[in-house]
Amino acid sequence: MATKILKSADSAYQYPLLIKQLLTSAQRFETENAIVSGEYRFSYAQFNERVHRLANTLKAAGIGEGDTVAVMDWDSHRYLECFFAVPMIGAILHTVNIRLSPSQIEYTMNHAQDDLVLVHDDFLPIIDDIRGELKTVKNYIRLTDVAGSTDDAFECMGEYEALLAEAESHYDFPDFDENSVATAFYTTGTTGNPKGVYFSHRQLVLHTLNMVNTLNTRSNEGALLKHDGAYMPITPMFHVHAWGIPYAATMMGVKQVYPLRYEPNTLARLIREEGVTFSHCVPTVLQMVIQSSEAANTNFDGWKVIIGGSALTPGLAAQALELGIEPFSAYGMSETCPLMAMTRFTAADRELPTEEQLSHRTRAGLPSDLVDIAIWDPAGNPLPHDGKSSGEVVVRAPWLTQSYLHEPEKGDELWQGGWLHTGDVAAILPNGTVEIRDRIKDVIKTGGEWISSLDLERLISQHPGVDTVAVIGVPDERWGERPFAMIVPKSQDFDVASVATHLQQYVDSGAINKWAIPREIELVNDIPKTSVGKIDKKLIRAQVAEQAAN
């Protein structure tokens, strides 16, 4: 029997999935919770009006459907307003990675074909340096944290707050195709130039709805993100829309705290003074916060934190739990908007011994709703979900980027076989839990066997004297590669030989083979990071190779 398709009446409203729909009527008039950013504090009703004023300001700047607006700012109320106003008028929001080099920033702005740039005072020197090379930019709006500040030397349309104050307080946001591009940003460019990732209104709305549901169902002790809680992102807003959670928080009308710069003492103080209950960040940022001097004066009890970008190690998870912080792992990447999987912690899980809890918290977790995750061998054959077989993670979901901006051939490579290829190696347990084993490019190939650099990092991090660790493979004439560890010790008298002693217990138990014990260990004060705070293994490899050559 053929499927029956019913047609809508011609007069029925089709309700396109647009970002403007995330500003529900409840949030437009919400006065109970506030949006906090530096010296600014707005109710949601005021925030809604400011979004309208910004839309009128953009219109006055000549921005319309299909134009691109770039933002160079710290995490602020201004950024959140741009998350909404820019795509809501039909323009494209380009969230510029301010931690790229000036030449890379110039490349991304030309590649994205930016028309207008909103730039913070701190980044004016970068713009002054590359301004003559920006081919499509027509105007600038200056962002400042100092009310009433002016800089006559910088030629621009005006200062953000002053322009909003003069703009009309209402804008009639139009309907348009929900598949229109809403946002674009660039990967960190570990090989070659950064690649442009983009998302449509439909994708962002579906991702937001899924994020709201996920944050409300992953813990038996209540929602991670609650209307009566307080949310502070510690993931840059230029990076995958701060993992898309500001959209979810705004839809829910949650109190939001934007920290501007990521200074560890300031973050700890805001957690204490603003009653922050939920955040998300990479492991290195969480470590900096709990090691800050302000941490000693801060009660972290009840602070729930999603860790992503890099693996949460058992050592860091244990430190967090001792302080009353509840860490959860999540899995995603720039191209996936980013949520794909997250820890689900049940009442039974909380009854487990601490070591088993840590193991559970440090896995990538269960796939989120509407997400299909599989693992494939190099030939593209699906592998069993038995917790033992390892293969590349491939995914499908309705919010994954469809390609790379202006580079469809790279998009075809990303989507080989109709699944998005992540470049991650994982096993999937029989209950569906995803356990990331490594990046394909980071697996250490030694003596005919593969060793997971992430597994080694997890084990070394449990050494009581290790603060932070990164493991890579270095060339070895006999074995192909051998592990090399870079360690930040907790004290000056750290005994390097104790690492081998610590790892020997895992060799004896059969968890790792004897070749997994690092041949070389370097003690350092800090481990190189990428522009989004991840451990930069590409740079570590380059540094080690340079040292070997000399």
Side-chain angles (χ1 to χ4, degrees):
M1 180 178 176
T3 301
K4 182 180 290 186
I5 299 175
L6 300 179
K7 292 186 177 181
S8 302
D10 291 339
S11 59
Y13 179 53
Q14 298 304 310
Y15 207 100
L17 298 181
L18 301 174
I19 287 175
K20 71 175 183 176
Q21 313 294 7
L22 300 178
L23 283 174
T24 64
S25 58
Q27 273 60 69
R28 291 172 190 163
F29 303 104
E30 167 72 56
T31 57
E32 180 181 346
N33 289 326
I35 293 168
V36 180
S37 172
E39 299 301 316
Y40 295 93
R41 188 176 295 260
F42 305 115
S43 69
Y44 271 81
Q46 291 172 314
F47 168 76
N48 182 66
E49 180 182 312
R50 289 174 61 85
V51 169
H52 282 249
R53 289 181 180 274
L54 176 55
N56 281 306
T57 299
L58 296 171
K59 181 180 178 181
I63 298 299
E65 288 191 25
D67 292 329
T68 303
V69 177
V71 177
M72 300 176 68
D73 194 11
W74 303 110
D75 287 10
S76 69
H77 64 287
R78 298 177 295 258
Y79 227 137
L80 185 65
E81 289 158 5
C82 288
F83 269 25
F84 286 88
V86 174
M88 283 166 60
I89 66 172
I92 301 167
L93 174 66
H94 172 200
T95 56
V96 177
N97 185 340
I98 54 177
R99 296 175 185 165
L100 294 176
S101 67
S103 62
Q104 287 179 314
I105 290 175
E106 174 193 322
Y107 170 81
T108 63
M109 295 178 78
N110 280 328
H111 190 265
Q113 301 173 8
D114 294 337
D115 295 284
L116 176 71
V117 182
L118 280 63
V119 55
H120 188 278
D121 286 347
D122 290 352
F123 310 116
L124 291 181
I126 295 176
I127 291 298
D128 285 338
D129 187 45
I130 66 175
R131 191 167 186 164
E133 304 302 320
L134 298 178
K135 301 173 183 177
T136 58
V137 174
K138 304 174 183 66
N139 215 331
Y140 298 84
I141 292 177
R142 182 168 166 257
L143 313 176
T144 179
D145 296 329
V146 182
S149 173
T150 58
D151 185 352
D152 295 335
F154 182 72
E155 183 180 348
C156 64
M157 179 179 166
E159 188 272 325
Y160 185 90
E161 294 295 337
L163 291 171
L164 260 64
E166 296 172 358
E168 292 291 330
S169 61
H170 176 75
Y171 188 98
D172 189 12
F173 293 104
D175 281 355
F176 43 80
D177 188 341
E178 63 183 19
N179 295 302
S180 301
V181 177
T183 65
F185 61 91
Y186 284 76
T187 63
T188 50
T190 53
T191 56
N193 286 321
K195 297 191 291 290
V197 178
Y198 61 91
F199 294 101
S200 69
H201 283 255
R202 173 184 170 81
Q203 290 170 322
L204 290 172
V205 170
L206 289 173
H207 183 270
T208 300
L209 296 174
N210 180 66
M211 181 68 77
V212 169
N213 180 65
T214 300
L215 296 177
N216 278 275
T217 60
R218 292 298 165 122
S219 173
N220 74 299
E221 289 195 350
L224 277 68
L225 185 63
K226 301 186 294 184
H227 184 264
D228 60 353
Y231 159 65
M232 181 173 72
I234 323 180
T235 302
M237 298 182 78
F238 65 70
H239 183 55
V240 209
H241 329 100
W243 297 353
I245 300 182
Y247 280 125
T250 303
M251 182 178 177
M252 294 175 64
V254 177
K255 176 182 177 181
Q256 301 184 56
V257 180
Y258 287 88
L260 303 176
R261 299 158 188 79
Y262 287 177
E263 198 284 313
N265 281 321
T266 299
L267 296 174
R269 179 181 56 79
L270 287 171
I271 292 167
R272 180 177 69 246
E273 295 180 356
E274 297 292 346
V276 175
T277 58
F278 173 67
S279 297
H280 49 86
C281 59
V282 296
T284 51
V285 173
L286 176 60
Q287 191 134 36
M288 288 191 297
V289 171
I290 64 181
Q291 292 179 346
S292 67
S293 57
E294 281 290 338
N297 305 317
T298 303
N299 181 354
F300 291 107
D301 283 351
W303 185 35
K304 294 179 172 64
V305 184
I306 293 178
I307 299 297
S310 299
L312 171 65
T313 63
L316 180 56
Q319 290 180 57
L321 288 169
E322 287 174 6
L323 292 171
I325 302 167
E326 188 166 7
F328 295 79
S329 290
Y331 174 55
M333 57 190 292
S334 296
E335 290 83 348
T336 63
C337 202
L339 184 64
M340 289 190 285
M342 185 178 152
T343 304
R344 176 171 288 153
F345 222 69
T346 67
D349 294 325
R350 295 179 188 280
E351 299 301 320
L352 294 172
T354 301
E355 187 172 333
E356 290 186 45
Q357 282 200 33
L358 293 178
S359 176
H360 192 71
R361 289 185 184 277
T362 54
R363 293 187 179 122
L366 289 166
S368 189
D369 294 331
L370 307 182
V371 176
D372 294 329
I373 297 183
I375 48 175
W376 286 3
D377 68 15
N381 301 308
L383 295 171
H385 298 180
D386 55 13
K388 298 177 182 178
S389 304
S390 293
E392 183 185 12
V393 177
V394 293
V395 296
R396 285 174 170 171
W399 47 77
L400 310 185
T401 190
Q402 299 298 289
S403 186
Y404 290 111
L405 194 63
H406 308 317
E407 296 181 286
E409 68 286 352
K410 292 182 179 178
D412 292 341
E413 183 179 339
L414 179 70
W415 278 95
Q416 287 182 27
W419 291 69
L420 186 145
H421 290 251
T422 66
D424 290 318
V425 176
I428 299 179
L429 279 61
N431 71 352
T433 297
V434 178
E435 187 172 75
I436 302 298
R437 296 285 169 84
D438 218 333
R439 292 286 292 169
I440 290 176
K441 62 185 179 183
D442 292 336
V443 170
I444 301 166
K445 306 169 185 67
T446 181
E449 295 189 29
W450 282 16
I451 296 173
S452 165
S453 66
L454 294 183
D455 282 349
L456 273 182
E457 288 166 0
R458 290 189 188 101
L459 297 177
I460 295 172
S461 77
Q462 295 177 70
H463 185 296
V466 171
D467 183 89
T468 314
V469 58
V471 175
I472 63 168
V474 295
D476 184 274
E477 290 185 5
R478 182 176 181 184
W479 301 108
E481 287 185 326
R482 286 295 301 275
F484 170 94
M486 184 175 281
I487 292 175
V488 178
K490 290 182 179 178
S491 64
Q492 297 288 333
D493 58 353
F494 182 79
D495 180 9
V496 172
S498 67
V499 175
T501 303
H502 169 74
L503 289 176
Q504 187 61 44
Q505 62 182 307
Y506 302 108
V507 174
D508 295 340
S509 69
I512 57 174
N513 64 43
K514 62 182 180 179
W515 311 115
I517 296 178
R519 182 187 65 178
E520 297 178 61
I521 294 175
E522 181 181 355
L523 301 184
V524 296
N525 294 322
D526 193 22
I527 291 176
K529 312 289 193 312
T530 69
S531 63
V532 293
K534 300 179 185 178
I535 291 175
D536 192 338
K537 293 192 176 182
K538 177 189 174 186
L539 180 56
I540 294 173
R541 290 190 194 96
Q543 291 177 349
V544 172
E546 184 177 355
Q547 291 171 4
N550 295 330

